[in-house]
Amino acid sequence: MNRSLVILAVIVVAAAFLVKSALFTVQQAQQALVVQFGDPRKVITEPGLNFKIPFIQDVVMFDKRILGLDAQPEEILTTDQRRLLVDSFVRYRIVNPLLFYQTVRNEFGLRGRLAPSVANALRGAFGKLDAVTIISGDRPRAMEQVYNSLQDDARRLGIEVVDVRIKRADFPETISQAIFRRMQTERQREANEQRATGAELGEKIRAEAERQRTILLAEARRKSEILRGEGDAERTKIFADAAGKDPEFYAFYRSLQAYSKALQPGDTTMVLSPDSEFFRYFETPPGVARPQK
């Protein structure tokens, strides 16, 4: 009895294992290829539960979604004889799993087959453009040409190219450094020219300011001399008018001014005759009694 139960259990386990080996599920985003000893037998594109012969047949799954392929950067010679390093990527979808399996087997094999086609398409399209057009991004027609060029090769591989884009288009490192140095030298030259122009303009402004200063000072001195001369003339005229009205008083006033300047306190000694003209106003006028000592 126990032996029968053991045998039954073994049979159930073996049957379950066989059933599990025979069943497989295709997800919504997948498509499957059933192969028997490497030979394709059936393509399944609809999701659901499916069967295969255990231990004889295998299932290879492929993604239905859009996949990406990053191509290696390619060096391209433009129409103006400049070398550019173009880095691109391709978006594709597997539309024929059987043909895809027969030609490239998997995504790794696809890279080896599709990458040269991408490189050739880029060279054919971008080789007709100059470097400025490629770098500036004004290249929609070229990208359309690359896209169209890849369609035939893609169909032969069981895929559909959805899009081709450029990640980066630039000069190679050695050329970029040379261009950078040349741009730096050019900017330095322009900066030096600007500085020289500014210094020259500054000298002109300073020279003009100095000239204006000299003119203003000369004009101010001229006007001051004219005003001083006019003042002196007016003063002389006033003194002359005053002297004309009362010459005696004017002589007396001038003598008082001379006394105040000559007889300053200090150690200065002057030897003058008492009868000199300088002391004539120190004499007692006629008719006035001389003061007693």
Side-chain angles (χ1 to χ4, degrees):
M1 187 68 176
N2 291 336
R3 186 176 180 181
S4 299
L5 291 176
V6 171
I7 295 174
L8 180 61
V10 171
I11 294 174
V12 170
V13 171
F17 180 75
L18 289 175
V19 171
K20 183 180 178 182
S21 301
L23 296 176
F24 65 94
T25 302
V26 178
Q27 302 295 333
Q28 184 71 31
Q30 292 178 325
Q31 49 191 338
L33 178 65
V34 179
V35 294
Q36 181 173 324
F37 302 115
D39 186 22
R41 292 296 182 179
K42 183 171 60 173
V43 176
I44 303 171
T45 58
E46 296 298 326
L49 186 63
N50 296 273
F51 297 91
K52 66 180 180 63
I53 302 174
F55 310 113
I56 297 177
Q57 294 181 337
D58 292 319
V59 179
V60 181
M61 294 291 184
F62 299 102
D63 207 321
K64 275 186 176 181
R65 294 170 295 186
I66 295 177
L67 305 174
L69 172 67
D70 289 333
Q72 291 293 327
E74 293 293 333
E75 192 172 282
I76 296 174
L77 185 65
T78 62
T79 55
D80 51 355
Q81 301 303 308
R82 294 186 178 182
R83 296 187 179 277
L84 287 181
L85 201 62
V86 179
D87 193 2
S88 63
F89 65 90
V90 179
R91 294 290 179 261
Y92 68 93
R93 182 189 295 111
I94 300 174
V95 294
N96 190 334
L98 177 59
L99 183 58
F100 184 84
Y101 179 80
Q102 290 173 335
T103 53
V104 297
R105 292 287 177 173
N106 49 43
E107 295 179 19
F108 182 78
L110 175 66
R111 177 180 295 276
R113 293 286 298 273
L114 189 61
S117 299
V118 175
N120 292 333
L122 288 174
R123 290 194 184 96
F126 285 10
K128 302 175 183 178
L129 303 176
D130 56 30
V132 175
T133 302
I134 297 173
I135 295 176
S136 64
D138 187 17
R139 47 181 182 250
R141 292 185 180 179
M143 296 309 302
E144 183 179 357
Q145 182 179 346
V146 173
Y147 173 81
N148 293 332
S149 299
L150 291 176
Q151 295 304 323
D152 290 339
D153 291 339
R155 280 192 291 269
R156 286 193 290 267
L157 299 176
I159 64 173
E160 174 191 4
V161 173
V162 178
D163 196 10
V164 183
R165 294 292 175 182
I166 299 299
K167 291 192 294 185
R168 183 176 66 92
D170 204 352
F171 294 103
E173 185 65 24
T174 55
I175 299 178
S176 297
Q177 292 296 328
I179 292 175
F180 175 75
R181 287 192 294 269
R182 186 174 63 193
M183 291 174 62
Q184 189 177 31
T185 303
E186 182 67 18
R187 297 298 179 271
Q188 187 66 38
R189 183 186 64 80
E190 292 179 359
N192 293 335
E193 289 181 357
Q194 293 291 334
R195 292 191 187 97
T197 302
E200 181 182 358
L201 183 60
E203 289 296 329
K204 288 182 179 179
I205 293 174
R206 282 190 288 271
E208 180 64 19
E210 186 64 26
R211 188 181 70 84
Q212 293 292 337
R213 173 179 172 273
T214 303
I215 293 174
L216 290 174
L217 289 176
E219 185 67 19
R221 292 192 189 99
R222 185 184 68 82
K223 289 183 179 180
S224 66
E225 292 296 332
I226 292 174
L227 293 175
R228 188 178 292 110
E230 291 177 351
D232 291 342
E234 186 66 21
R235 183 187 65 178
T236 303
K237 181 178 179 299
I238 292 172
F239 281 137
D241 292 343
K245 290 180 180 180
D246 192 347
E248 184 63 25
F249 176 79
Y250 180 71
F252 175 71
Y253 174 73
R254 295 290 290 177
S255 295
L256 290 179
Q257 286 183 325
Y259 295 154
S260 65
K261 293 181 179 180
L263 302 177
Q264 293 286 341
D267 298 333
T268 302
T269 302
M270 293 194 313
V271 180
L272 296 172
S273 173
D275 298 332
S276 66
E277 182 66 22
F278 184 74
F279 291 113
R280 70 189 182 90
Y281 287 104
F282 281 83
E283 298 177 355
T284 302
V288 178
R290 186 183 293 274
Q292 298 296 324
K293 293 183 180 180

